[in-house]
Amino acid sequence: MTESERKYFIRLGNQLVEVSREVYTAYYQMDRQERYQIERDYKHGLLYYDSWDTEERNGKDYIKDITQDTEESAIRSIINLYIAKYIAENDTRRILQYLLLGKTEREIAMLLGVSKSSVNRAKMKMIKALKEYFG
């Protein structure tokens, strides 16, 4: 068989496709180059998230996003430090925690076994302290 009679094939999916020698050479050079890069990266301990890809999820979805809004984080820290100065009673601290969780005054009163008016007084005291600080 002479070089001009030889046939070249590349695999595309499930099919073999006949191509010219130039296309065959270029295709397998690129394929080998890609495998070489992956082998080199693996040797150096690099990890590709696309190797975790499935039909349902992208490999990057497995990574927890820990980014935060710095401004929001700083404001929360300041508020927590300031409120801690004004909150000495244990019940008042728990009232604040429940308020931050979205509980109503009635729900907080039932959880703590106190009256709704005492929950309201503690809440108003905290609001007053915040107004003084930020006012």
Side-chain angles (χ1 to χ4, degrees):
M1 179 187 279
T2 65
E3 185 63 32
S4 62
E5 295 173 346
R6 184 167 180 193
K7 294 184 179 184
Y8 295 94
F9 296 93
I10 60 172
R11 183 172 298 279
L12 296 175
N14 302 8
Q15 297 180 352
L16 286 176
V17 178
E18 186 175 353
V19 294
S20 67
R21 180 173 186 221
E22 293 81 22
V23 171
Y24 177 85
T25 305
Y27 178 82
Y28 282 104
Q29 281 178 342
M30 288 187 316
D31 182 58
R32 180 60 197 132
Q33 180 65 26
E34 184 178 338
R35 284 186 289 139
Y36 169 74
Q37 293 290 344
I38 292 170
E39 290 167 2
R40 190 180 70 182
D41 290 346
Y42 181 75
K43 180 179 166 185
H44 290 97
L46 294 178
L47 175 67
Y48 289 97
Y49 299 119
D50 60 350
S51 64
W52 295 348
D53 288 353
T54 63
E55 289 182 17
E56 297 85 31
R57 295 190 73 173
N58 188 340
K60 292 179 183 177
D61 294 341
Y62 292 103
I63 302 169
K64 183 179 179 183
D65 183 15
I66 59 170
T67 58
Q68 294 182 21
D69 182 14
T70 307
E71 182 180 356
E72 181 72 26
S73 178
I75 290 171
R76 284 184 191 195
S77 296
I78 291 169
I79 289 173
N80 288 338
L81 287 173
Y82 187 74
I83 289 175
K85 291 179 184 178
Y86 285 89
I87 299 175
E89 303 167 18
N90 199 18
D91 281 347
T92 309
R93 185 179 304 268
R94 285 191 287 176
I95 288 170
L96 175 63
Q97 289 172 344
Y98 287 132
L99 285 171
L100 292 175
L101 291 173
K103 301 281 186 194
T104 64
E105 289 181 7
R106 178 177 285 155
E107 291 171 330
I108 296 169
M110 287 191 318
L111 288 167
L112 297 177
V114 297
S115 68
K116 183 178 174 266
S117 62
S118 65
V119 171
N120 185 278
R121 274 193 307 275
K123 177 180 156 185
M124 297 312 287
K125 181 180 171 184
M126 288 182 263
I127 291 172
K128 181 181 175 191
L130 287 172
K131 282 182 181 178
E132 286 174 11
Y133 182 75
F134 290 108

